[in-house]
Amino acid sequence: MRPQRLVDLLAVVALVLLGLSGYLTWISADPGNGRQDVHLNGYTITKAPVTLALAAVIAVVVTKLAGTFLRRVLGGLVVLLGVGAIVVALGVRPDGAELSRLRPELSDVLADQVTQSTGPAPWFALAGGIALVAAGLLTVVTAQRWRRATQRYERDPAATPADQWKAIDAGEDPTL
């Protein structure tokens, strides 16, 4: 598999994983005393994973049109976005005061012990961040081997103009 295709695949996987982390349960809070559990999805807790995923996918798309140096810069940016997603996945855990700000129905029960449990969403965000880091590193390492966007349409430098006209007259496309 070509490095470009692998970077595309990793970026799509990261987009799916980080997007899922925004809509799955990030934290479940049990206020106790028979009250109903409160489930907070990733987008309620933080909008960072989805935003980082979209920014990384845009950077990967721009690498298709860029030269080697800009590809390396954008690959480094994708690595930083992936590290940001990993930091968010590992570090964002709201405490009681933050939960009461996010969900007002928890404010009256903060005197009770609120038990929190982590849902699957941070793990999806972590996996998506790792996929972004891998895509960025692969871009930085293999940027010089990528095909240029216009390479398909460039003519053969060894062909003379007469050969190209003969190919056109024969119904062939000399740019292929």
Side-chain angles (χ1 to χ4, degrees):
M1 181 178 278
R2 289 195 328 236
Q4 286 174 298
R5 300 283 182 218
L6 188 56
V7 168
D8 293 344
L9 179 66
L10 286 170
V12 168
V13 166
L15 178 66
V16 168
L17 290 172
L18 290 168
L20 276 174
S21 76
Y23 296 102
L24 294 177
T25 300
W26 197 280
I27 291 197
S28 295
D30 181 14
N33 296 335
R35 295 184 188 111
Q36 188 175 10
D37 289 355
V38 176
H39 302 285
L40 297 141
N41 64 10
Y43 206 68
T44 304
I45 300 292
T46 177
K47 294 170 181 50
V50 176
T51 306
L52 292 170
L54 292 174
V57 167
I58 290 170
V60 168
V61 168
V62 172
T63 60
K64 304 291 181 202
L65 304 172
T68 303
F69 176 73
L70 188 56
R71 279 188 196 127
R72 287 195 172 125
V73 169
L74 290 170
L77 176 66
V78 171
V79 168
L80 290 176
L81 292 170
V83 168
I86 291 171
V87 167
V88 167
L90 295 176
V92 174
R93 300 289 181 268
D95 58 358
E98 183 72 14
L99 283 176
S100 68
R101 186 187 66 76
L102 293 172
R103 288 290 175 101
E105 63 265 20
L106 290 175
S107 62
D108 59 343
V109 296
L110 281 179
D112 298 336
Q113 180 64 20
V114 176
T115 306
Q116 293 183 21
S117 61
T118 304
W123 298 108
F124 283 101
L126 180 66
I130 291 170
L132 282 181
V133 169
L137 288 176
L138 188 63
T139 301
V140 170
V141 171
T142 63
Q144 74 280 359
R145 295 189 315 200
W146 287 28
R147 287 179 20 164
R148 292 186 312 268
T150 60
Q151 187 175 9
R152 176 184 206 182
Y153 305 106
E154 293 175 1
R155 61 187 171 137
D156 182 15
T160 63
D163 293 336
Q164 291 175 357
W165 279 110
K166 288 178 186 175
I168 291 172
D169 287 339
E172 298 173 7
D173 186 357
T175 60
L176 297 178

